[in-house]
Amino acid sequence: MIALSAAQLSFNTPGADAPRQTIFLSDNPGRPMPLRQREGFLVRDGEVPEGFGWYLLHGEATAVAARLANQRVVLLPPELDYLGDGDVVRLNPERTALRVLYRRSSPHNHFLLTERCNNYCLMCSQPPRNVNDGWIIDEVIEALPLIDRDTVELGITGGEPTLLGERFFDLVRSAKSFLPDTALHVLTNGRLFVNPVQAETLGKINHPDLMLGIPVYSDLAHVHDYVVQADGAYDETIRGILNLKRERQKVEIRVVLHKQTYARLPQLAEFIARNLLFADHVALMGLELMGFARANLEELWIDPVDYREELTAAVNILSRARMNVSLYNLQHCLLDRSLWPFARRSISDWKQEYMPECDGCELRTQCAGFFASAKYRYSDRITPLDGSGWPVRNQKAGG
Amino acid sequence: MSRFQQLAEFERPLAAGYELLPFHFTALDDDNYVATNVAGEFVVLTRPDLEAFSSQSLPHTSALYDELKSKHFLIDSDSDVAIDLLALKLRTKLAPLANFTGLHMFVATLRCEHSCPYCQVSRANDDRTEFDMSEATALKALDLVFRSPNPAIKVEFQGGEPLLNFPLVRFVVEEAKRRNEAERRNLAFVIATNLAVIDDEILDFCRTHAILISTSLDGPADLHNKNRPRPGHDSHARAVAGIHACRSALGRDQVAALMTTTAGSLGRVREIIDEYVSLDFDGIFLRPLSPYGFAMKTKFYRGYDQARWLDFYFEGLDYIIDLNLSGFWFIEHYAALILRKMLTPFQPGYVDLISPAGIGIGAIAYNYDGDVYASDESRMLAEMGDKTFCLGNVHTHSFEDIFLGDALLGPLEASFAGSAPMCSWCAFEPYCGADPVFHHATQADFVGKKPLSAYCNRNMAIFRGLIQRMRSNPDVRAVFERWANLG
Ligand code: SF4
Ligand code: SF4
């Protein structure tokens, strides 16, 4: 687990007086002179090239700090040791804070655009707050040009990003302009696309590689509306998906698996195969115990082993319909073996963990592992597996 | 008080009742009914349940209510997106119609070196060329082919044995490809041949132009040779050798085989299937015998009745299902076509099982002499002296005369299943079709009285048989889902 922000940092005097800003970090002493003023230099071994707008020092480099008294300097705590060349951070000297916006070495970079949402899902990992946070997207749009153009994928989350209206479309336009080769994956509930004009606006941007990840929790409207705690949401989401597909946008259907959604999984799969066969991807996801999921633990928790039958049936229906199916956040030893080819290691690198029960499991490098939050509740049937996928204990007992 | 509302809150609107969406129902067996909606989704339910549902008194707490809601048989005040989804599904099913004619059959010659008793059209092999299509006729036919707006055009060479007039085949392929440089259609070619006269020159040509081979294989050697007499009694051996030769020259999947069912086939369905399995085909099309031509004259058609054919079909189907259940992948293609209609949003373009009928607008046949027929069966009927479905001649009629004339539009409109007696209220209509040629041939009427129709009886039995099989065994349903999604 790594920290993505830090507060109570020490800024030196010139640094503390500087305005908030988003900067590109480099450890390359040979950066072109004209760029340095807008960038931060990561001081590693005492070498301090001149001309950078900021110098970021690890705690023990304080001797260097004295030499840089006239430059803007911020001292990094050990948990930010990982910052490297090409990363992008937001500095807020007034609050002595730093946020990491982008890590070049990570395949899992995402931006949270707003905490506001028009759903209120029982298991929301990022509980919505009705706050005025329009500044966030301004920062993100500012950061996009600093991001490495070889970035494979960027995630956009919320809250509900589309509530930002025209600013959301600005972001997609910017991403297309500055990062044309980067896939953009947007998590949205799709409800606002019930307005065909919104879908059309997105379609016209013609982003080369945009995927909208949209949750559909049931084949029955009232069950979906209950899960997202919003009457009428289902019809808007489904119509939104139809409008987006009419605009030839890529759509991923996302289903979070828990006690309120598992029972009709096969029926939901049939419904998707029959009505939404044009979806580009279906992701079936184990529950992450963050936010509301923890508050509603008793209503939501079910051991994945106990929905194995429904999940297996659903995946088979979807894959027989030749849909593209993935399982996220689900561990190998809890799944029917036939589903392993669908299981992805999806948990962001900084969140993925394993349990003490996993000791000796030879499939760890294939297994999705756990969110750190799984410590609040996880299956009591974790079973280390041997190289060919059979429970280790059985093998010992047998041989 | 929790920030979260209970499920019951969201169920409240359901208590206000529901409205029916369009559906039809037909008995499945003694206890159950099949109900289908306009998009072909089906629900099996008991008579009391059907009565409760249709009188709008089905409780929203029942599992059947959920199923009917999920499959778009009803809407309640909670949600009406079902209407959008139904409309979209119906549009998806009907959309291919707008493409118009995709399959264009060229009868390259009526000559054949086989003398099959059930064959409707062929002439004994001789050197006379009066039954060959001329280049002039082919050019006129190609003009019509490219008038079709369909982005995918398939040209199929028929006979007789079309390879006896190979120069014409070559001419048409080369000319069509030349025109297609400007037309840019997805252009494909098929040669329907008994493979008896195929040689390296022809194989080379097929490889160069990616031409598919469709051949005949009726089953084991004795059955095949009895069905297909030729000098030397070696039709089966030649077909098998030809299949191997085509596969090594063109690729395994470039050769398809079709069987013809005769009185001699009945009772031997497993042997016939085994023949296909051992020749490494992925499936078989268990076909009924058509009532046209010599087949009728020689009493083959009456040689067995509908019930015997259905026994033959279902014995074969069950044998194939068992193969699949034991892990061997093999398809019955007729079932697969119907299952695609039952289990997917798509509508396969199979001309015998579609409404409006596939005649003319799905497939068209250009006879050797330039006469244009609404289907392959139509020209067979003509050989018996009934030219009802002759739509014109390439030399004397325009595209509009042929495709928009009464000879085609009349039977298309009359036979449309959605408005035909019995079909229009039949639950199986979304899976079935209209076959004005068959009903004209057998009942002298484009529509036909369906209770007397072998077409209706056969298909209805198969629809029921498929639904019963997937209902009684989830593993069979899984096999069927895979077949349905092949297309
Ligand atoms: S025991 Fe192995 S398969 Fe199971 S959760 Fe741990 S690492 Fe994954
Ligand atoms: S032909 Fe028979 S089975 Fe087909 S739709 Fe008409 S009545 Fe139904």
Side-chain angles (χ1 to χ4, degrees):
Chain A
M1 179 102 181
I2 62 165
L4 286 180
S5 62
Q8 293 177 322
L9 302 179
S10 21
F11 285 79
N12 70 355
T13 314
D17 292 342
R20 276 181 247 175
Q21 57 192 293
T22 301
I23 58 168
F24 171 92
L25 301 183
S26 178
D27 60 9
N28 174 5
R31 286 290 287 174
M33 254 330 158
L35 297 179
R36 292 189 188 183
Q37 194 50 44
R38 304 176 227 147
E39 298 181 347
F41 185 77
L42 285 160
V43 181
R44 294 231 182 268
D45 48 13
E47 189 188 355
V48 182
E50 62 182 43
F52 278 93
W54 286 87
Y55 292 87
L56 290 83
L57 272 60
H58 295 296
E60 61 278 17
T62 39
V64 183
R67 281 200 277 140
L68 289 168
N70 297 325
Q71 309 292 334
R72 285 178 281 193
V73 172
V74 56
L75 298 182
L76 299 177
E79 64 263 29
L80 291 181
D81 270 356
Y82 65 81
L83 284 176
D85 193 62
D87 290 355
V88 177
V89 299
R90 175 83 176 168
L91 294 173
N92 188 338
E94 203 183 325
R95 298 193 176 183
T96 66
L98 173 155
R99 265 187 316 119
V100 182
L101 298 180
Y102 167 79
R103 289 170 55 217
R104 194 174 68 178
S105 61
S106 168
H108 300 283
N109 280 290
H110 65 262
F111 296 115
L112 180 148
L113 292 195
T114 175
E115 293 189 73
R116 292 184 295 131
C117 192
N118 48 351
N119 280 353
Y120 203 74
C121 301
L122 292 176
M123 65 294 177
C124 183
S125 61
Q126 182 71 51
R129 294 198 304 153
N130 197 3
V131 289
N132 195 345
D133 55 9
W135 53 271
I136 300 180
I137 191 161
D138 298 338
E139 276 187 23
V140 173
I141 291 178
E142 197 187 323
L144 287 180
L146 305 179
I147 288 174
D148 192 305
R149 268 171 225 134
D150 289 332
T151 301
V152 175
E153 184 181 52
L154 279 184
I156 301 293
T157 70
E160 173 50 45
T162 61
L163 289 179
L164 292 159
E166 194 49 34
R167 284 303 271 162
F168 169 72
F169 296 122
D170 285 343
L171 173 110
V172 178
R173 284 186 200 102
S174 264
K176 178 186 174 188
S177 161
F178 290 103
L179 298 163
D181 299 325
T182 301
L184 200 61
H185 191 271
V186 179
L187 293 182
T188 166
N189 58 41
R191 289 177 62 184
L192 292 189
F193 294 109
V194 70
N195 177 354
V197 177
Q198 298 281 338
E200 211 179 298
T201 305
L202 190 63
K204 284 215 180 98
I205 296 174
N206 205 7
H207 187 287
D209 195 358
L210 171 68
M211 175 86 94
L212 298 140
I214 301 180
V216 176
Y217 294 127
S218 178
D219 57 323
L220 299 176
H222 58 276
V223 177
H224 176 95
D225 289 354
Y226 162 59
V227 173
V228 306
Q229 293 281 304
D231 199 22
Y234 181 80
D235 283 17
E236 288 181 4
T237 290
I238 298 291
R239 289 195 172 102
I241 292 173
L242 299 186
N243 287 341
L244 286 165
K245 288 314 294 185
R246 201 168 290 130
E247 294 295 329
R248 306 191 182 286
Q249 298 302 297
K250 285 200 275 179
V251 170
E252 168 189 79
I253 293 173
R254 297 169 71 86
V255 187
V256 181
L257 309 173
H258 53 64
K259 208 194 270 179
Q260 307 300 331
T261 57
Y262 83 93
R264 289 188 69 84
L265 273 178
Q267 288 88 342
L268 175 59
E270 271 182 39
F271 175 86
I272 291 171
R274 190 80 189 207
N275 294 281
L276 305 173
L277 188 62
F278 44 60
D280 300 272
H281 186 213
V282 181
L284 303 164
M285 306 180 291
L287 186 63
E288 181 182 4
L289 295 183
M290 294 278 281
F292 289 159
R294 224 139 76 208
N296 293 321
L297 194 61
E298 292 318 311
E299 282 79 30
L300 298 176
W301 171 257
I302 170 172
D303 192 315
V305 173
D306 294 328
Y307 61 66
R308 178 143 65 179
E309 201 178 306
E310 289 83 358
L311 180 62
T312 307
V315 170
N316 285 333
I317 289 166
L318 294 167
S319 80
R320 281 194 294 266
R322 303 215 224 168
M323 296 192 79
N324 190 1
V325 190
S326 299
L327 298 176
Y328 293 161
N329 319 340
L330 288 164
Q331 299 75 29
H332 269 49
C333 59
L334 305 182
L335 289 172
D336 190 281
R337 290 172 70 96
S338 66
L339 298 197
W340 289 355
F342 301 95
R344 314 271 176 253
R345 302 192 82 204
S346 53
I347 299 174
S348 308
D349 48 358
W350 52 277
K351 287 179 170 176
Q352 187 179 52
E353 299 191 351
Y354 293 89
M355 295 299 168
E357 291 91 325
C358 299
D359 274 358
C361 178
E362 291 179 48
L363 291 196
R364 200 187 263 250
T365 53
Q366 279 140 271
C367 174
F370 297 85
F371 284 114
S373 58
K375 64 174 182 265
Y376 295 103
R377 182 76 74 91
Y378 61 92
S379 171
D380 53 19
R381 277 161 278 181
I382 307 281
T383 314
L385 303 173
D386 68 19
S388 38
W390 300 109
V392 170
R393 270 175 241 141
N394 277 4
Q395 196 185 41
K396 277 183 189 150
Chain B
M1 181 77 202
S2 165
R3 290 176 281 185
F4 299 98
Q5 293 186 305
Q6 298 302 305
L7 179 59
E9 288 297 317
F10 294 92
E11 284 173 343
R12 195 157 293 171
L14 309 189
Y18 60 88
E19 281 176 58
L20 303 175
L21 292 171
F23 74 99
H24 292 120
F25 59 89
T26 296
L28 176 66
D29 52 36
D30 290 345
D31 303 317
N32 296 290
Y33 283 75
V34 185
T36 58
N37 66 14
V38 292
E41 274 158 297
F42 67 90
V43 170
V44 175
L45 66 189
T46 63
R47 188 180 174 108
D49 279 345
L50 177 63
E51 281 169 4
F53 166 56
S54 50
S55 60
Q56 288 168 276
S57 56
L58 189 71
H60 71 80
T61 47
S62 71
L64 179 62
Y65 184 95
D66 287 345
E67 189 183 3
L68 290 163
K69 182 173 174 178
S70 173
K71 291 188 173 160
H72 302 154
F73 285 76
L74 65 83
I75 47 172
D76 52 35
S77 50
D78 177 50
S79 168
D80 60 10
V81 75
I83 294 176
D84 299 46
L85 291 168
L86 261 183
L88 178 60
K89 284 182 277 193
L90 191 59
R91 197 155 64 231
T92 305
K93 294 248 179 207
L94 296 178
L97 272 177
N99 286 336
F100 219 61
T101 320
L103 176 61
H104 298 261
M105 289 170 279
F106 280 63
V107 180
T109 177
L110 287 188
R111 288 183 292 139
C112 186
E113 28 60 67
H114 276 64
S115 47
C116 310
Y118 57 78
C119 179
Q120 294 88 346
V121 293
S122 69
R123 300 293 192 279
N125 185 21
D126 52 40
D127 295 332
R128 292 181 311 164
T129 54
E130 64 188 290
F131 296 119
D132 286 5
M133 182 180 273
S134 70
E135 291 188 357
T137 298
L139 286 173
K140 289 282 188 188
L142 279 174
D143 290 345
L144 295 172
V145 169
F146 284 105
R147 284 291 306 278
S148 166
N150 202 314
I153 297 278
K154 185 182 274 182
V155 172
E156 178 171 315
F157 297 98
Q158 288 273 1
E161 170 50 57
L163 294 182
L164 293 179
N165 190 8
F166 181 63
L168 188 274
V169 172
R170 178 190 290 273
F171 175 80
V172 171
V173 169
E174 286 170 352
E175 175 63 14
K177 288 189 90 167
R178 194 189 61 77
R179 294 190 189 193
N180 200 42
E181 280 168 24
E183 291 280 350
R184 303 229 161 255
R185 313 293 181 92
N186 180 356
L187 182 63
F189 301 96
V190 182
I191 300 177
T193 168
N194 58 41
L195 292 175
V197 299
I198 198 151
D199 61 21
D200 287 344
E201 183 202 350
I202 296 172
L203 284 174
D204 262 359
F205 182 78
C206 291
R207 185 171 45 229
T208 308
H209 297 283
I211 298 173
L212 285 162
I213 299 296
S214 170
T215 192
S216 303
L217 184 70
D218 292 348
D222 68 301
L223 178 61
H224 183 99
N225 287 338
K226 183 161 169 270
N227 282 349
R228 299 175 184 274
R230 77 182 297 282
H233 308 288
D234 59 352
S235 178
H236 182 266
R238 280 177 181 252
V240 171
I243 288 165
H244 291 311
C246 289
R247 282 198 179 133
S248 41
L250 311 175
R252 177 180 171 275
D253 58 352
Q254 298 300 99
V255 190
L258 270 180
M259 63 161 298
T260 296
T261 310
T262 61
S265 315
L266 300 177
R268 299 186 67 178
V269 70
R270 285 164 187 257
E271 288 172 73
I272 295 168
I273 293 164
D274 285 346
E275 181 76 11
Y276 275 69
V277 170
S278 76
L279 281 170
D280 195 22
F281 285 104
D282 292 331
I284 189 170
F285 198 135
L286 294 175
R287 286 205 304 174
L289 182 64
S290 77
Y292 313 99
F294 286 138
M296 209 137 171
K297 283 190 220 154
T298 53
K299 300 232 175 0
F300 264 102
Y301 185 63
R302 287 150 216 262
Y304 59 94
D305 59 25
Q306 189 74 5
R308 286 181 69 208
W309 183 82
L310 282 170
D311 288 345
F312 166 88
Y313 179 80
F314 283 119
E315 186 189 345
L317 179 67
D318 288 333
Y319 181 54
I320 293 170
I321 289 172
D322 285 343
L323 288 178
N324 283 274
L325 292 179
S326 64
F328 185 80
W329 175 237
F330 195 79
I331 307 145
E332 200 287 295
H333 288 292
Y334 194 63
L337 279 166
I338 294 166
L339 290 164
R340 190 163 177 78
K341 293 169 176 240
M342 289 179 166
L343 300 176
T344 81
F346 301 114
Q347 179 81 297
Y350 181 63
V351 292
D352 290 349
L353 210 59
I354 196 164
S355 171
I359 56 166
I361 59 176
I364 193 109
Y366 307 97
N367 209 2
Y368 72 98
D369 57 1
D371 279 352
V372 182
Y373 289 99
S375 66
D376 205 27
E377 289 76 16
S378 305
R379 71 170 170 117
M380 299 177 183
L381 210 54
E383 292 298 327
M384 299 166 64
D386 179 348
K387 295 189 79 166
T388 307
F389 296 96
C390 181
L391 308 180
N393 188 287
V394 297
H395 295 286
T396 48
H397 293 91
S398 69
F399 180 85
E400 287 75 13
D401 294 337
I402 291 168
F403 285 94
L404 302 176
D406 289 344
L408 180 59
L409 298 190
L412 277 179
E413 193 180 332
S415 66
F416 180 65
S419 57
M422 203 157 136
C423 301
S424 61
W425 61 82
C426 173
F428 302 116
E429 189 273 328
Y431 314 135
C432 202
D435 196 338
V437 183
F438 179 94
H439 289 109
H440 172 81
T442 53
Q443 298 189 21
D445 174 33
F446 297 144
V447 186
K449 295 181 185 67
K450 294 299 168 3
L452 305 176
S453 157
Y455 176 91
C456 175
N457 295 345
R458 163 166 53 89
N459 283 319
M460 208 183 269
I462 294 175
F463 301 144
R464 287 195 173 107
L466 292 173
I467 291 174
Q468 279 157 341
R469 278 164 178 77
M470 66 180 130
R471 227 168 79 80
S472 58
N473 183 347
D475 293 337
V476 172
R477 163 116 192 173
V479 169
F480 282 6
E481 280 177 17
R482 291 184 63 183
W483 290 3
N485 285 289
L486 279 174

